[in-house]
DNA sequence: CGTCAAATGCGCAAAATCGAGCAGAAACAC
DNA sequence: GTGTTTCTGCTCGATTTTGCGCATTTGACG
């Protein structure tokens, strides 16, 4: 007990995991950390800090440079699923509620492995006899826990930690086996010139397959995603049938989307 | 020894369950606990704390690390499945721990959608480069949350509420695509005359496919299942390669299993 | 291009922690 | 009472983490 208090008095001579967590926080707020600074602050030797940063580098969280390390700007795909789910939660819920109105009884719908799509099932309680096709293990189990009156088909495949969904050739083939009334999907960015883009090559292929195999492709797109560009093309605006968002888009966007024949749904 | 008496004088030398409850509270509020910190706070030896944390790890509540333990964020996925999981929990853990010893690095193993099989992944932390093939959505996501160093393949298919796993023809075909080193499965009942039996027609077909496509079929069978009969045959005893149970079977059973060429694994 | 202080990676030894096994104490069953 | 089980603390060899020395690399400065 005394020992611990003493340590606290001296500052935190933290150990192992907790120290690395501290470094993570520093990185989050400051983007850059320096070996000496951390060593001093944490009362450990620079060697230890170097080792820690080495671990974080292996994880892909930072890039080392001479004297310290810099936070790697992560595509949001690599932020843990449950953190991502909290981001813009209000927006996702607004979108999900509006999107749910598109669904009618007895339909077959598909959902991709995104946090936005994962918000949708909560609003499907009053639909009867749905079939839900999804690439997301998380969404599949969520539907069970919600006691949805629906049949759930999950593609299977290799499980991805970041999306908590499945990827790979098997997954794509499974999607291709179903033609759906509605396909709900999201992505990281939407710009007029570059269309819908996202970071993960494999996930993009799955979205494309979903879009190809549906009567009505519905893009769930919160306001933060407009006029952004990621790098891998999902599809152009013209290939959409419908876009659901949480705020009224600008007049310019509305005009563009209308001219492209995209039905736009937003609150009020 | 003096130390202990002193401790008694100072107050809380908490014992057993009460101590573990305290650790639970600490975990809830702080997310991370340290062996030494707890030992001092609770006036017991570090050994005891290690044992306690070991128990909590088996329960799946924490993940141990050098010097302490961290609360496992088990963010959703619960309840109806969980109640069944509590039954014979101790037996399942004993079986899982023994079964895990059968697994070697770099192997491909399959797990069916049973609660007994679901206990296994917790004991696979020290194996490297595993591939896990499962029909269970629950197990797949559990493996993620455990941060297992393994690739997870999930068959997909139509989701069953009772097993939280997949069934159907698609599922069977997916299993058939992989040949595994080990197949771990469980079932309702095991009798000498009628072999392994279970209730659900569809699930039985999947188990059979798993058994057909493996080098070593391992039946996870707690003591309550011996000399029981359900109705749908999975396979006869002779088709097993190995049986793992939580208590020494009767001499008669041991003799039978030996004569059938089944390796029998039980504690001690 | 050369110099030099600072930072780095590597190996090693000290320290801390771990798990397994053993033995004593307390609780319990009979 | 006797035997059994459970819990706890301790010992010991093994593992992990940490700090330091040392040769090497880096990058700023002249």
């Amino acid at each position: 007990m005394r020992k611990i208090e003493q340590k606290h008095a001296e500052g935190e001579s933290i150990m192992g995991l907790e120290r690395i967590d501290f470094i993570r926080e520093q990185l989050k707020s400051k983007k850059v950390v320096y070996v000496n600074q951390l060593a001093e602050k944490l009362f450990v030797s620079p060697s230890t800090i170097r080792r820690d940063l080495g671990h974080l580098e292996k994880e892909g969280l930072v890039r080392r440079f001479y004297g310290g390390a810099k936070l790697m700007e992560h595509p949001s795909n690599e932020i843990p699923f449950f953190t991502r789910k909290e981001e813009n939660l209000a927006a996702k819920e607004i979108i999900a509620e509006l999107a749910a109105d598109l669904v009618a009884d007895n339909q077959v719908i598909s959902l991709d492995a995104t946090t936005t799509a994962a918000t949708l099932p909560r609003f499907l309680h009053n639909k009867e006899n749905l079939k839900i096709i999804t690439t997301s293990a998380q969404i599949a189990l969520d539907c069970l826990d919600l006691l949805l009156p629906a049949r759930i088909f999950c593609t299977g495949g290799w499980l991805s930690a970041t999306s908590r969904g499945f990827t790979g050739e098997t997954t794509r083939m499974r999607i291709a086996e179903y033609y759906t009334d509605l396909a709900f999907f999201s992505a990281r960015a939407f710009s007029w010139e570059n269309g819908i883009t996202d970071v993960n090559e494999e996930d993009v292929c799955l979205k494309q397959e979903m879009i190809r195999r549906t009567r009505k492709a519905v893009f769930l797109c919160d306001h933060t995603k407009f006029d952004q560009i990621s790098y891998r093309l999902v599809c152009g605006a013209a290939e959409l049938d419908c876009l659901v968002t949480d705020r009224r888009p600008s007049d310019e966007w509305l005009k563009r989307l209308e001219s492209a024949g995209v039905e736009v749904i937003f609150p009020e």
Side-chain angles (χ1 to χ4, degrees), chain A:
Chain A
M1 185 67 89
R2 171 167 309 121
K3 212 161 131 200
I4 293 173
E5 310 242 321
Q6 184 187 347
K7 283 180 182 176
H8 273 271
E10 281 186 14
E12 318 232 356
S13 158
I14 303 179
M15 52 196 301
L17 199 147
E18 193 177 350
R19 187 183 54 243
I20 291 189
D21 277 345
F22 180 83
I23 298 176
R24 282 197 160 93
E25 279 176 36
Q26 289 283 303
L27 277 165
K28 203 169 186 180
S29 57
K30 306 200 171 159
K31 311 293 180 198
V32 180
V33 293
Y34 299 93
V35 173
N36 286 332
Q37 225 175 78
L38 284 174
E40 204 177 319
K41 215 177 283 189
L42 294 167
F43 298 93
V44 291
S45 72
S47 292
T48 302
I49 298 297
R50 275 187 214 108
R51 263 184 289 249
D52 291 343
L53 293 179
H55 290 147
L56 292 174
E57 187 177 35
K58 248 194 217 162
E59 279 182 31
L61 185 71
V62 300
R63 210 181 60 230
R64 296 289 308 282
F65 63 83
Y66 200 78
K70 183 167 176 263
L71 181 68
M72 290 246 277
E73 282 311 339
H74 269 295
S76 67
N77 256 15
E78 297 180 20
I79 299 171
F81 182 87
F82 290 98
T83 353
R84 236 163 45 228
K85 197 169 177 179
E86 299 305 321
E87 291 172 9
N88 291 320
L89 182 61
K92 292 185 212 293
E93 280 177 354
I94 292 169
I95 292 171
E97 199 163 0
L98 292 171
D101 287 338
L102 297 169
V103 182
D105 294 346
N106 308 310
Q107 283 190 324
V108 182
I109 69 175
S110 54
L111 302 175
D112 74 347
T114 58
T115 53
T116 311
T119 317
L120 188 55
R122 286 210 288 277
F123 299 92
L124 296 176
H125 265 296
N126 53 343
K127 316 291 177 182
E128 280 177 24
N129 190 34
L130 291 183
K131 287 195 174 63
I132 300 178
I133 317 290
T134 182
T135 61
S136 164
Q138 184 69 45
I139 290 179
L141 285 183
D142 281 352
C143 288
L144 276 195
D145 295 331
L146 288 167
L147 302 177
L148 279 196
R151 295 260 293 153
I152 321 287
F153 183 89
C154 190
T155 57
W158 292 98
L159 191 58
S160 147
T162 50
S163 71
R164 298 174 79 81
F166 301 109
T167 57
E169 180 56 16
T170 303
T171 313
R172 202 190 56 72
M173 280 170 20
R174 242 30 70 202
I175 296 176
E177 287 172 355
Y178 292 85
Y179 191 80
T180 61
D181 293 305
L182 289 154
F184 294 98
F185 68 100
S186 185
R188 184 149 158 62
F190 188 26
S191 84
W192 184 246
E193 292 78 12
N194 295 283
I196 299 172
T197 48
D198 207 330
V199 280
N200 188 307
E201 193 88 16
E202 294 224 40
D203 288 345
V204 166
C205 292
L206 301 180
K207 291 180 209 297
Q208 291 173 334
E209 197 68 46
M210 276 177 56
I211 295 167
R212 200 172 301 141
R213 305 286 176 169
T214 191
R215 213 156 46 77
K216 185 167 183 175
V218 183
F219 180 35
L220 309 175
C221 177
D222 70 61
H223 66 277
T224 65
K225 290 168 176 169
F226 282 93
D227 300 310
Q228 304 286 312
I229 303 177
S230 189
Y231 80 98
R232 179 64 163 84
L233 179 70
V234 178
C235 69
E239 293 168 69
L240 291 180
D241 297 300
C242 182
L243 181 148
V244 182
T245 184
D246 59 316
R247 292 186 190 174
R248 187 180 201 283
S250 67
D251 288 337
E252 193 185 358
W253 266 106
L254 284 174
K255 216 167 69 185
R256 288 165 170 172
L257 289 166
E258 190 187 2
S259 75
V262 181
E263 176 186 6
V264 182
I265 298 176
F266 53 88
E268 277 139 311

